[in-house]
Amino acid sequence: MPEIAEVARVVHFLKKHLVGRTIAAVRAEEDDLLFGKVGTSASAFKSAMTGKKILDARQQGKYFWLVMDSKPHPLMHLGMTGWIKFSNDDTSAYYKPKKEETDWPPRFSKFVLDLEGEPKCEVSFVDPRRLGRCRLIDAEADEIRKVSPLKENGPDPVIDKDIMTVEWLSQLLRRKRVPVKALLLDQGNISGIGNWVADEVMYQAKLHPEQYSNTFSDEQIKRLHDAIVYVCGTAVDALAESDKFPKDWLMKYRWDKGKKTGGKLPNGAKITFLTVGGRTSAVVPSVQKKTAAVAGDVSEGAEDESEEDAAAAEVKLEKSASKKTKAKEGEDAKEVIAATAANRPRRGRKQVDYEVKDESESEDAPAAKKQKTTTTSKKAAPKKATSRSAKSSKDTDVKEEVKSEQPDGRRRSGRTSK
């Protein structure tokens, strides 16, 4: 997935080829995912962009947008496999298709902007998996970051250094209890950090990705902050060209899961792979030590997730912690109710059975609601007992049947056998 550095590369080329020029024509196909999912359409996009002059290109994390001479402004997200291509320039130092492409517009093109003037230039948004998004923001240029979806995203580590201080990060970490890597991947906390950047940050900070966010010391938080700023800044400055990254970076050896290097760094340190927060994580155990409580949802030897799974995992990271809490509450509630039901006195043939519905799978439903249902024996009791002795005898039979079915003495339901 394109992360903060890859998006910075896109913005660099947009500034280079589009700023100061006017859009002569727009070709766009109706796409209910690219446009429709965010409340616009290809026809609305064409109408809003045609004839407009482009004043600037900007970025916040994984989002980027064009500043037009009048609103609305197009705000875009590349999703898992989206990219911006130019008819007169090669941006593929990061994005390298399997086959050399010479056709224009390129395959999987979603829209093309045709610019006025010279040199001749057309710009295409391509997206094989259709997980990218393009929407129109009806706000003034300086207000774009104050409206949805950008206002719900955290600060950008490169352009918002005045916000993302050590003190700010310390407060963020300590008010949550989630695996620290999951916290970094959540765009609502910090914008632009994806899987490989998070792994590099954790390696450079010498911290373990599964350790809970509220367990780090002040010194560890300072290391984490410095690593975020260092990794993001270095990657952005290099415009995501990995050949320009420092030779000792973990990301240079993580993609093949150690198959080419025997699972080791050049210095001999072993690389292992875990699943943390639903994402494959590269870890160097000799460097990244666990120093406090860690999450329990970590498995070793994880395979790389599919792109679709990775996208889903990133979207749901923040919700996952809440769901785990609800599930735990549900288990606690089950134990309490089971104990209460076991000690409840029997009151004749009609019984009350308590059941806990585990709603931790639902994101909005409260956990462990008690559902009260009434059950009766299969054979209805006569309206009136013929005699007191007959009634007493029948009740004794029922008790004996229940006792034989429940050797441990616990009552699980009010049903009796015929």
Side-chain angles (χ1 to χ4, degrees):
M1 172 184 283
E3 303 179 27
I4 187 171
E6 291 79 20
V7 175
R9 182 177 184 82
V10 165
V11 172
H12 167 80
F13 282 95
L14 291 173
K15 286 177 176 285
K16 177 180 178 181
H17 295 294
L18 272 65
V19 172
R21 301 182 69 171
T22 299
I23 300 175
V26 179
R27 287 169 281 164
E29 61 178 58
E30 289 295 350
D31 190 311
D32 57 355
L33 296 181
L34 179 72
F35 296 112
K37 278 282 187 179
V38 287
T40 189
S41 64
S43 57
F45 179 75
K46 288 190 286 187
S47 176
M49 294 296 102
T50 304
K52 291 282 191 71
K53 186 175 182 178
I54 302 167
L55 303 182
D56 199 2
R58 298 176 185 172
Q59 170 186 6
Q60 178 181 328
K62 297 181 182 181
Y63 281 97
F64 64 102
W65 63 98
L66 296 175
V67 176
M68 313 305 291
D69 57 2
S70 64
K71 58 183 182 182
H73 312 275
L75 174 69
M76 291 160 276
H77 191 292
L78 296 171
M80 287 298 300
T81 58
W83 196 244
I84 300 294
K85 293 190 173 185
F86 297 81
S87 62
N88 63 332
D89 206 345
D90 181 16
T91 63
S92 64
Y94 158 73
Y95 182 92
K96 296 180 180 180
K98 294 181 180 179
K99 295 182 180 180
E100 187 67 27
E101 296 182 81
T102 56
D103 296 338
W104 189 267
R107 293 181 66 200
F108 310 114
S109 178
K110 300 305 175 184
F111 67 77
V112 176
L113 306 180
D114 186 1
L115 304 176
E116 291 182 356
E118 296 295 334
K120 177 66 176 174
C121 178
E122 292 186 355
V123 186
S124 174
F125 186 112
V126 298
D127 188 6
R129 294 189 179 273
R130 300 174 67 206
L131 294 170
R133 299 290 181 259
C134 178
R135 71 190 80 202
L136 297 172
I137 302 297
D138 191 20
E140 298 299 330
D142 292 338
E143 300 294 316
I144 291 177
R145 295 190 65 185
K146 299 178 182 179
V147 301
S148 293
L150 296 184
K151 73 175 184 178
E152 286 83 23
N153 281 246
D156 182 299
V158 174
I159 64 176
D160 294 323
K161 292 179 182 178
D162 57 330
I163 297 174
M164 211 195 80
T165 62
V166 176
E167 293 73 19
W168 178 91
L169 182 61
S170 178
Q171 293 177 9
L172 173 66
L173 293 171
R174 287 172 175 164
R175 72 170 179 260
K176 297 176 180 287
R177 183 176 174 81
V178 295
V180 63
K181 181 178 177 180
L183 182 143
L184 294 179
L185 291 176
D186 186 342
Q187 301 302 294
N189 296 323
I190 302 173
S191 290
I193 296 180
N195 204 30
W196 81 257
V197 171
D199 280 356
E200 194 64 50
V201 166
M202 298 308 298
Y203 172 65
Q204 297 297 331
K206 299 181 180 179
L207 302 174
H208 200 281
E210 67 170 322
Q211 187 167 327
Y212 281 121
S213 57
N214 63 342
T215 62
F216 292 104
S217 66
D218 291 343
E219 187 272 335
Q220 289 174 318
I221 293 173
K222 176 67 165 56
R223 292 205 319 253
L224 179 60
H225 173 271
D226 293 349
I228 293 172
V229 173
Y230 163 64
V231 171
C232 292
T234 302
V236 166
D237 289 344
L239 297 180
E241 293 186 36
S242 59
D243 291 344
K244 296 181 180 179
F245 292 170
K247 294 181 179 180
D248 63 345
W249 273 24
L250 173 65
M251 67 87 59
K252 288 179 170 287
Y253 310 97
R254 75 182 298 278
W255 301 109
D256 63 353
K257 298 189 67 113
K259 293 176 182 177
K260 293 182 180 179
T261 62
K264 295 181 180 180
L265 294 174
N267 62 8
K270 182 180 179 181
I271 305 172
T272 61
F273 294 88
L274 310 173
T275 297
V276 183
R279 303 299 301 275
T280 298
S281 304
V283 181
V284 181
S286 62
V287 175
Q288 298 169 258
K289 303 289 188 180
K290 301 175 184 179
T291 61
V294 298
D297 63 341
V298 179
S299 60
E300 297 188 10
E303 293 296 328
D304 281 326
E305 69 277 17
S306 67
E307 291 176 339
E308 290 86 352
D309 290 342
E314 182 170 317
V315 170
K316 296 181 180 179
L317 276 171
E318 188 173 25
K319 296 178 181 178
S320 64
S322 175
K323 289 169 69 177
K324 289 174 187 175
T325 301
K326 291 177 181 179
K328 178 64 171 62
E329 292 172 352
E331 290 299 321
D332 293 342
K334 286 179 182 178
E335 293 178 3
V336 172
I337 294 171
T340 302
N343 296 323
R344 187 178 298 277
R346 189 177 184 82
R347 296 181 181 177
R349 199 176 285 275
K350 188 175 181 179
Q351 304 297 331
V352 177
D353 185 20
Y354 288 86
E355 176 189 354
V356 174
K357 182 180 180 182
D358 185 1
E359 299 190 9
S360 63
E361 294 181 359
S362 171
E363 295 171 358
D364 300 319
K369 285 185 178 178
K370 287 191 282 187
Q371 295 204 341
K372 185 175 180 181
T373 60
T374 302
T375 61
T376 60
S377 61
K378 294 182 179 179
K379 186 175 181 179
K383 293 183 179 179
K384 293 183 179 180
T386 56
S387 68
R388 180 169 300 188
S389 61
K391 183 175 184 299
S392 174
S393 175
K394 195 155 192 168
D395 287 342
T396 302
D397 292 341
V398 170
K399 291 178 181 178
E400 289 296 320
E401 288 173 2
V402 173
K403 185 176 181 180
S404 65
E405 291 175 5
Q406 304 287 343
D408 58 359
R410 291 181 297 169
R411 180 182 58 77
R412 296 182 183 172
S413 113
R415 294 182 179 170
T416 61
S417 59
K418 293 183 179 179

